[in-house]
Amino acid sequence: MTLAEAVLLTVITASTPLLIAAIGELLAERAGVLNLGVEGMMAVGAACAFAAAVSLDSTLGGFVAGAGAGMALSLVFAFAVLGVAANQVASGLALTILGLGLSGVIGAPFVGARRDPIAHLSLPGLTDLPFIGRPLFGQDPIVYLSFALAAAMAWFLFRTRGGLTLRAIGEDHASAHALGLPVLKARFLAILFGGACAGLAGAYLSLVYTRFWSPGMTGGRGWIALALVVFAAWRPGRALAGAYLFGLATVLQLHAQAGAIRLPSQLLSAMPYLVTILALVILAARDRRSTGAPASLGIPFVPDR
Amino acid sequence: MYRSILAAAAAAVVLAGASGAAMAQEKLKIGFIYVGPVGDHGWSYQHDQGRKAIEKEFGSRVETTFVESVSETDAERPIEQLVRTGHKLIFTTSFGFMNPTVKVAKKYPDVRFEHATGYLREKNLATYAAKFHEGRYIIGQIAGKMTKSNVIGYVGAYPIPEVIAGINSYFLGAQSVNPNVKIKIVWANTWFDPGKESDAAKALLDQGVDIIAQHTDSPAPLQTAEQRGKLGFGQASDMERFAPKAQLTAIIDDWSGYYVSRVRAALDGKWESIDTWGGLDTGMVVMAPYKNMPDDVKKLAQDTEAAIKSGALNPFKCPVLGQDGKEIECKGGKSLSDEQILSMNFYVKGIEDKVPQ
């Protein structure tokens, strides 16, 4: 295995949770809901997934539980921001704090347990191809799912009637409501989808990335996913590019250090953030169309009956 | 009317004061600040084991509290919070808590503080640390013997003296048994982020390293080594359950004895601001069982451990050569002085890297 191939494999693992969480948040924000609770839902997803995988001795069961737990937690958020039209920023932050706390309680009995690695795709002939074999044909199922999610999201948002409706709601919920579009229902579903994705991303952390659980293991990845959505100008393709750019920069800076590149390690550590922000800002600046946030993002909607 | 209110208030104050004093006599409230979660299986976990030892030893005479995952940049607030809630003995257990602890200690002279791994003391602020570098010399020898690629790796948290001294001791140990050995160092710039620590270990392994040592707090780097069929060492705590095939040994911090003795001193009114630096000899540093290695390497490790314990061997025995090959001034007689080790900011000869400034 060449060094470049090894780097690529590490990048894929590092980027996948970011991509999944970002895609989920992207849909919620396109519908006009800003959910700052990604980090919390991810933490709960990681804890529940690990607990379920160990208890049921099933990795698949773990992923289902992780996604389900993220979704369950997002219900709390949905009730607050849709049910009683609470402030979205405050509710999201509360959700993060709640999630990080809850994850500690859920995971505590499973501290010290470990899981075997997840099965990777293996196609005779293809997986053994030099260089592209392992990255393309030798990944775990969640990696393929993350790409499918990004593609499906792009198709849904820009090629279907449902996507058009959802974007219309995110742009101007009052008009959408006047047209008879189901504002609250669409937002409710988008929040649940975002929660499931965040939970799945968390599950990937505890079941694939490190294969043990410990409190605080999300390490701020939820916040990075949130930032990616903004810098990707709410486009799935760019979110994918951003997640991989971030992953690539993260891994490359570690390699640069191991190769004794004479740059301060603190600067190298900041590289992923700088590179990703810079690249996506340049993209956004070149974009002649609206760079924009959905116009109703973060604004509570109360239907006037 | 006015007067009777005043009298009542005065009486209340006196009563409160009296009951406060009585309470203090009854129970000593002890607070702990941890940099990571208690469940990190490493550094903070071991400190919490020490806290539990205090509870076990003194039972109802003490009451302990801990605050976990405290950011090093925002430590003043939680420390002060402990003071305000009546804690009279407070342990802050990471290097980065040094300045905040000094600040709060100056503000509350009647509260006693203890800061781990720092070098600033006050009348009411003691410091303590363990000579982890003694253990690192042993694991360095094991790594030097066990490496097949002659390239060993090190995942560091931050380039602070404690970590740099550990890297030097590790490398000196490896060099002592294998003159051809080289070391690669990666800084994670975090004490605890399993994902990132694991990525750092992968980067090292991908660059030809076959043995991983770590100075970060989670078992992720060791576990990554296990996954790749390579070897590694546990950090702060015995991490064998995470890597039964990869863990050669682990450097375990055992704070229980120290914490119990300090609380006893506080209860007996004999607490003083001192500096404690315990090693293998005092049991503050303990080596986990030597496993996954041939008998001759095991024997070497055990002999070195015994030699360090008895004082016959010092990892930083003079002459210690700097990266430029020049001898470092030997301020401690036969070896570098404690002061020199605690403020170490250079690599020894043979490390082909630069200390990040």
Side-chain angles (χ1 to χ4, degrees):
Chain A
M1 190 158 63
T2 63
L3 186 59
E5 189 182 353
V7 169
L8 195 54
L9 288 175
T10 311
V11 170
I12 291 171
T13 319
S15 307
T16 299
L18 298 177
L19 174 59
I20 297 176
I23 290 293
E25 176 68 11
L26 192 147
L27 186 76
E29 293 194 13
R30 276 286 186 176
V33 183
L34 179 66
N35 186 353
L36 295 180
V38 182
E39 179 86 358
M41 297 188 291
M42 220 168 170
V44 167
C48 285
F50 194 75
V54 171
S55 309
L56 306 171
D57 193 23
S58 156
T59 302
L60 177 67
F63 279 113
V64 172
M71 203 189 263
L73 196 58
S74 72
L75 270 176
V76 178
F77 178 77
F79 170 77
V81 303
L82 301 180
V84 296
N87 180 297
Q88 293 181 8
V89 171
S91 308
L93 290 175
L95 195 69
T96 286
I97 297 166
L98 173 69
L100 288 173
L102 262 184
S103 72
V105 178
I106 297 164
F110 298 91
V111 160
R114 59 193 288 270
R115 291 284 303 162
D116 289 331
I118 186 174
H120 283 58
L121 182 70
S122 177
L123 299 172
L126 285 178
T127 306
D128 304 328
L129 284 175
F131 196 71
I132 56 162
R134 289 274 303 281
L136 278 184
F137 303 110
Q139 292 302 315
D140 61 73
I142 307 299
V143 170
Y144 299 111
L145 179 67
S146 71
F147 277 91
L149 268 178
M153 185 58 57
W155 175 77
F156 170 76
L157 281 176
F158 303 110
R159 293 278 181 275
T160 69
R161 191 175 178 82
L164 185 64
T165 304
L166 187 120
R167 285 189 288 136
I169 290 168
E171 287 299 335
D172 185 346
H173 52 215
S175 306
H177 180 63
L179 288 170
L181 298 177
V183 176
L184 290 181
K185 186 180 155 203
R187 286 190 173 170
F188 180 68
L189 293 175
I191 290 172
L192 286 194
F193 178 81
C197 284
L200 189 66
Y204 193 80
L205 285 181
S206 62
L207 294 178
V208 182
Y209 209 151
T210 55
R211 297 189 293 110
F212 64 83
W213 180 84
S214 70
M217 69 179 300
T218 43
R221 285 178 183 75
W223 297 109
I224 294 166
L226 267 166
L228 280 175
V229 174
V230 176
F231 290 114
W234 291 267
R235 289 162 194 280
R238 286 190 194 172
L240 187 145
Y244 271 78
L245 191 62
F246 188 87
L248 182 73
T250 304
V251 174
L252 279 185
Q253 66 95 0
L254 293 169
H255 272 279
Q257 289 190 41
I261 299 253
R262 305 267 189 260
L263 275 176
S265 75
Q266 294 88 339
L267 179 67
L268 285 170
S269 277
M271 273 316 226
Y273 304 90
L274 297 177
V275 169
T276 311
I277 291 172
L278 198 69
L280 293 172
V281 164
I282 290 172
L283 262 183
R286 285 181 40 178
D287 202 335
R288 286 174 163 268
R289 287 170 298 179
S290 116
T291 51
S296 294
L297 183 62
I299 304 167
F301 173 67
V302 185
D304 46 344
R305 289 169 222 285
Chain B
M1 180 65 197
Y2 183 63
R3 196 166 278 191
S4 71
I5 288 177
L6 258 188
V13 167
V14 170
L15 270 177
S19 70
M23 285 286 285
Q25 292 247 310
E26 271 165 23
K27 254 189 185 174
L28 175 66
K29 284 181 91 176
I30 305 161
F32 284 83
I33 301 271
Y34 303 142
V35 70
V38 170
D40 68 355
H41 317 302
W43 177 258
S44 296
Y45 173 82
Q46 288 300 125
H47 282 285
D48 201 53
Q49 293 300 108
R51 181 186 66 81
K52 286 180 179 158
I54 293 173
E55 288 203 323
K56 202 172 155 207
E57 180 76 20
F58 301 103
S60 60
R61 293 174 69 196
V62 296
E63 188 184 321
T64 66
T65 314
F66 67 85
V67 190
E68 60 183 340
S69 300
V70 172
S71 153
E72 292 186 331
T73 50
D74 184 30
E76 205 178 318
R77 199 174 42 80
I79 299 171
E80 195 151 354
Q81 184 68 28
L82 284 178
V83 174
R84 290 206 182 127
T85 47
H87 294 81
K88 293 293 174 199
L89 178 60
I90 296 170
F91 295 89
T92 57
T93 63
S94 183
F95 179 77
F97 297 150
M98 182 164 70
N99 291 328
T101 308
V102 171
K103 218 165 155 189
V104 180
K106 280 186 176 156
K107 214 161 143 188
Y108 299 97
D110 61 326
V111 178
R112 288 148 180 168
F113 295 86
E114 300 229 3
H115 174 240
T117 71
Y119 51 81
L120 295 180
R121 275 169 292 285
E122 295 286 329
K123 252 204 159 81
N124 60 332
L125 167 58
T127 52
Y128 61 104
K131 294 175 180 169
F132 311 113
H133 65 270
E134 294 184 345
R136 293 192 192 280
Y137 191 82
I138 303 171
I139 68 170
Q141 286 196 329
I142 298 172
K145 281 280 184 194
M146 297 294 290
T147 178
K148 294 189 184 95
S149 62
N150 276 339
V151 188
I152 56 179
Y154 208 101
V155 180
Y158 296 99
I160 56 172
E162 176 195 347
V163 181
I164 290 169
I167 293 173
N168 284 335
S169 181
Y170 179 67
F171 189 68
L172 287 171
Q175 258 186 337
S176 73
V177 296
N178 182 347
N180 298 321
V181 75
K182 288 198 174 355
I183 189 170
K184 283 185 189 284
I185 301 157
V186 167
W187 299 98
N189 279 300
T190 174
W191 284 113
F192 182 81
D193 180 343
K196 201 166 181 198
E197 292 170 48
S198 158
D199 288 343
K202 283 181 194 165
L204 286 169
L205 293 169
D206 289 338
Q207 294 208 10
V209 163
D210 63 351
I211 296 186
I212 299 269
Q214 62 178 93
H215 201 149
T216 52
D217 294 348
S218 93
L222 176 63
Q223 194 198 40
T224 304
E226 164 115 349
Q227 204 175 339
R228 298 276 188 97
K230 305 289 196 230
L231 300 165
F233 302 96
Q235 158 72 6
S237 184
D238 191 344
M239 294 176 170
E240 197 194 356
R241 60 189 164 176
F242 294 100
K245 287 191 216 102
Q247 181 177 301
L248 294 158
T249 179
I251 303 168
I252 303 171
D253 321 338
D254 188 352
W255 306 104
S256 305
Y258 176 76
Y259 283 162
V260 166
S261 76
R262 296 302 283 167
V263 169
R264 179 162 293 129
L267 285 170
D268 295 349
K270 288 179 184 151
W271 190 95
E272 277 176 7
S273 167
I274 51 166
D275 178 36
T276 305
W277 206 24
L280 286 164
D281 56 345
T282 62
M284 210 183 238
V285 179
V286 180
M287 301 305 290
Y290 298 107
K291 290 193 174 157
N292 299 319
M293 64 184 86
D295 285 344
D296 62 318
V297 181
K298 193 172 173 176
K299 171 96 182 16
L300 170 79
Q302 283 164 341
D303 289 350
T304 305
E305 184 181 342
I308 294 177
K309 233 180 224 171
S310 71
L313 175 67
N314 187 315
F316 290 111
K317 61 178 180 290
C318 294
V320 175
L321 303 181
Q323 264 182 313
D324 53 5
K326 280 191 200 137
E327 198 177 324
I328 305 293
E329 191 191 349
C330 196
K331 290 186 184 163
K334 287 179 182 160
S335 56
L336 297 188
S337 69
D338 290 357
E339 186 64 30
Q340 280 179 299
I341 298 169
L342 285 168
S343 61
M344 198 167 270
N345 62 355
F346 62 86
Y347 284 145
V348 294
K349 191 179 174 215
I351 298 183
E352 293 163 3
D353 202 334
K354 217 174 97 189
V355 177
Q357 297 300 340

